[in-house]
Amino acid sequence: MAVWFGKNKAVEKLSKVTAGYLNGDMSIPIKIEEYPEEFRPLACNIAALSDMLRTFTRETQVSSSQVSAAVNQVNAVIGQAADLAEQVKQETNVVDGLSQDIAEATKNAAKQIDEVMVATQTITAVAGDIYQDSITSKNAAEQGCQAAAKVAVAMDSIRQATAEVNGKINALTKMAREIDSLLATIQGISAQTNLLALNASIEAARAGEHGRGFAVVAHEIQKLSDASAGAAHSANKLLAEIDGGVVSAAKAAEVGAGAVEAGAKEMREADASLQAIFAASTQVETKVAEASAARQHQLAATEKTADFLGQIAGIAEQAASRMMTVAASIEQQDKSLADTRKLGDVLANVADNLVATTGKITLVDINSHQQAELDGKIAKLRNLLAETVQDERILSMDAYNHTAIVNDLLLRQPELEAAWTNLPDGQFVVSLPPAGIANAKTREWFKQAMQGQFYVSEVYVSAISHQPCLTVSLPIRDGTENVIGVLGADLRL
C-alpha cells in the first residue's frame, strides 16, 4: 500500500493515536504500511506496545471480572454461612434448653416409672392372691358338684322309695276294699243268723218244754250274731278310718313325690350352675395365671425402662454440657466469619476498582453502522431465546434435556460462543462450554432475568474466549408464568 501522508501528517497521526491510547481508547489500530519508511520502526513499536496493552487489558478485565464474581460469591457464601451460624447458634440455645428439659423430664419420668413399678408389684401380688382364691373357688365348686351329684343320687333313691311306698299304699287300699267287702258279707251273714236265731226262738217257744234247750242255743246264736254284727260294725268303722288314713297317706306320698321331683329338678339346675361355676373358675384360673405372668413381664420391662431412662438422663446431661461447648465454638466461628467478611469487603472494593479502572479502556470501537448491525443480531438472538424457552423440555429443569436444548441453540446461532441455564438459586443446570463461576446469583444478567426482564449487557471481554462479547438473558417460566430459571448466552463480537 502506498504512503498517503507525509512526515508532518505521520507525526500528527501517531500523536493522535497515542493520545487516544493515553485516554484509554485502544480501539484504533496502527497500520504500519501507511507511514513513511523512517516512521515505521516507531509506528511498529507503538503498535506492538498497543497490542501488548490490549492483551494485558483483556486479561486484566477477564481476571478482574472473575475476581469480582468470585469475591461476590464468597461474600454471599460467607453471608449465608454467617446466617447459618446465627441460626445454628439460636438452635443450639434452643437445643440446650431442650436437652435440659429432656434431662428434667427424664428424671420425672424415672420417678413415675418407679411409682409404676411399685404399683406393678402390688398388682402382681394381688393377682397372685386372686389366683389362689380362684383355685380355692374352683376346688369349692368341684366339691359342690360332687355333693350335688350325691344329693341327686339320694333324690333318685327317695323318688324310687316314694314310688314303692305309693305302690304299697295302692295295694293296701285294694286290700281295704276287699276287707270292706268281706265285712259287708259278715254283716249280711250276721243279720241272717240273727233272723234264724229269732225264728229258732219262736219255734222253741212253740215246742214248749222240748224246745227249751234249743231256745238256749238260739239265744246264744243270737248273741253271737249280735257280737259278730258289732264286731263287723267296729271293724268297718276301723277300716273306714284306715281307708281315710291310706287316702291321706296316698295324697301325702303324691305330694312328697312331687316335692322330690321338684327337688331333683332344682338339684339338676344347681348341678348345672355348679358345673358352670366350675368351668368359669377354671377359665378364671387360666386367665389369672396368664395375667400374673404378664405382670411379671411388665415388672421386668418396667425395671428395664427405669434403667434406660436413667441412662437417657445421663446422656441428656452430657449432651447439654456438650451443647454449651458447641455454642462457644459457634460464637468463635461467628467472629471468624465476621473477620472474613471484612476481608471479603476489602477484596470486593479492590476488584470493583480494578474493574472500573480496566473498564475505562475501550478495546472495541463500534460506530453507528456497527451498532445498528449489533442491534439486529441482539433482536434476532432475543427471538431465538424466546422460542427456546417455549420448548416443553426446558420445564423439566434437568441436565439431560437442557444439554440437548443448549447444543441445539449453539448450532442454530454460530455467533454464540456460550449458552447456559440456571436454577432459581443461581446454580448452573448446564453450561456449554463450562462456566468460569460456580454460581451466578450475584451476576446482573441473572438478577434481571429472575425479575422477569430480558437483559442485554455492555460490551466486555469474555472469560471464555478472552475476546469482546456481550451477554443476553431472559427468564424461564412455567405454565403459571412463575420464573423457574434463567437462559443466558454470550454473543461473540
Side-chain angles (χ1 to χ4, degrees):
M1 178 181 291
V3 178
W4 57 272
F5 49 75
K7 293 181 179 179
N8 292 334
K9 289 291 184 180
V11 172
E12 183 181 351
K13 177 69 173 178
L14 285 174
S15 297
K16 183 178 179 180
V17 171
T18 53
Y21 291 168
L22 181 63
N23 292 326
D25 184 5
M26 303 294 295
S27 63
I28 303 173
I30 296 177
K31 299 178 180 178
I32 306 301
E33 64 276 8
E34 293 180 352
Y35 289 91
E37 189 68 28
E38 63 270 25
F39 284 96
R40 287 183 180 180
L42 178 60
C44 184
N45 291 334
I46 294 174
L49 179 62
S50 66
D51 289 340
M52 183 180 67
L53 286 174
R54 287 190 187 93
T55 301
F56 174 76
T57 300
R58 282 196 299 268
E59 296 298 328
T60 303
Q61 286 183 356
V62 170
S63 299
S64 62
S65 177
Q66 291 176 333
V67 169
S68 178
V71 168
N72 289 332
Q73 187 172 346
V74 168
N75 280 338
V77 172
I78 291 173
Q80 292 175 356
D83 293 340
L84 289 175
E86 181 62 27
Q87 291 179 4
V88 171
K89 184 178 179 180
Q90 295 176 359
E91 293 297 329
T92 301
N93 293 332
V94 173
V95 171
D96 181 49
L98 290 176
S99 297
Q100 295 177 0
D101 292 342
I102 290 172
E104 186 65 26
T106 305
K107 291 179 180 178
N108 294 332
K111 293 179 180 178
Q112 295 296 326
I113 288 293
D114 290 339
E115 294 179 2
V116 171
M117 188 163 57
V118 172
T120 303
Q121 291 173 344
T122 303
I123 292 171
T124 302
V126 172
D129 294 339
I130 293 173
Y131 177 64
Q132 294 298 326
D133 291 343
S134 68
I135 293 176
T136 303
S137 298
K138 187 189 76 171
N139 293 333
E142 187 175 6
Q143 292 174 0
C145 288
Q146 294 174 357
K150 293 179 180 178
V151 171
V153 172
M155 293 297 289
D156 287 338
S157 298
I158 293 171
R159 186 169 58 252
Q160 293 176 1
T162 302
E164 292 177 359
V165 169
N166 193 27
K168 298 295 184 180
I169 290 173
N170 290 332
L172 183 59
T173 302
K174 183 177 179 182
M175 292 175 65
R177 294 293 180 268
E178 293 177 353
I179 292 170
D180 185 60
S181 177
L182 182 60
L183 288 174
T185 302
I186 292 172
Q187 285 178 348
I189 294 171
S190 177
Q192 290 178 0
T193 302
N194 192 21
L195 181 60
L196 289 174
L198 180 61
N199 289 333
S201 294
I202 292 171
E203 291 297 327
R206 287 178 181 177
E209 188 65 30
H210 295 289
R212 184 177 294 178
F214 185 73
V216 173
V217 173
H219 180 70
E220 290 298 327
I221 290 173
Q222 186 178 9
K223 287 172 64 177
L224 289 174
S225 176
D226 290 338
S228 296
H233 179 75
S234 298
N236 195 12
K237 184 178 179 182
L238 180 58
L239 186 60
E241 292 178 357
I242 292 172
D243 186 60
V246 168
V247 171
S248 299
K251 290 182 179 180
E254 185 178 354
V255 173
V260 169
E261 183 63 29
K265 181 179 179 182
E266 293 294 332
M267 286 306 301
R268 287 194 295 271
E269 293 178 355
D271 182 65
S273 299
L274 287 172
Q275 291 291 344
I277 293 172
F278 179 73
S281 298
T282 303
Q283 292 181 355
V284 169
E285 179 185 359
T286 302
K287 295 298 183 182
V288 170
E290 294 176 356
S292 180
R295 291 291 184 274
Q296 294 294 338
H297 289 302
Q298 180 184 5
L299 179 60
T302 305
E303 291 175 349
K304 290 182 180 178
T305 303
D307 294 339
F308 182 65
L309 284 174
Q311 295 176 4
I312 291 177
I315 293 172
E317 290 178 355
Q318 293 180 4
S321 176
R322 295 294 178 87
M323 288 306 299
M324 295 178 64
T325 304
V326 172
S329 299
I330 291 175
E331 186 174 357
Q332 183 62 38
Q333 181 185 5
D334 190 38
K335 293 180 180 179
S336 299
L337 286 174
D339 295 339
T340 306
R341 178 177 287 179
K342 291 179 181 179
L343 180 59
D345 292 338
V346 173
L347 290 175
N349 290 332
V350 172
D352 291 340
N353 291 333
L354 183 59
V355 171
T357 301
T358 57
K360 294 178 181 179
I361 299 176
T362 303
L363 298 177
V364 179
D365 183 20
I366 301 176
N367 56 35
S368 58
H369 175 72
Q370 292 172 330
Q371 185 63 49
E373 183 180 357
L374 180 59
D375 290 341
K377 290 182 179 180
I378 293 173
K380 180 180 177 182
L381 181 58
R382 178 173 185 171
N383 292 333
L384 181 58
L385 294 179
E387 178 184 346
T388 301
V389 295
Q390 297 301 317
D391 192 326
E392 292 184 356
R393 294 175 299 168
I394 206 169
L395 298 179
S396 66
M397 300 303 293
D398 68 84
Y400 178 79
N401 286 326
H402 281 211
T403 299
I405 292 171
V406 170
N407 268 322
D408 182 63
L409 181 63
L410 293 175
L411 291 174
R412 294 175 63 184
Q413 187 68 33
E415 292 183 339
L416 293 179
E417 68 173 23
W420 60 87
T421 56
N422 300 89
L423 295 171
D425 60 357
Q427 296 293 324
F428 284 86
V429 179
V430 64
S431 177
L432 298 177
I437 56 176
N439 191 292
K441 198 170 185 177
T442 60
R443 291 301 182 98
E444 193 65 25
W445 55 263
F446 176 81
K447 293 188 287 186
Q448 292 294 329
M450 283 300 298
Q451 293 177 5
Q453 305 296 323
F454 178 79
Y455 174 81
V456 181
S457 73
E458 298 292 335
V459 176
Y460 68 97
V461 177
S462 169
I464 297 174
S465 64
H466 292 201
Q467 296 298 323
C469 73
L470 57 83
T471 296
V472 294
S473 62
L474 77 169
I476 301 172
R477 301 178 185 271
D478 61 11
T480 58
E481 294 301 310
N482 292 322
V483 178
I484 60 172
V486 172
L487 171 64
D490 284 344
L491 179 64
R492 186 185 302 108
L493 301 181

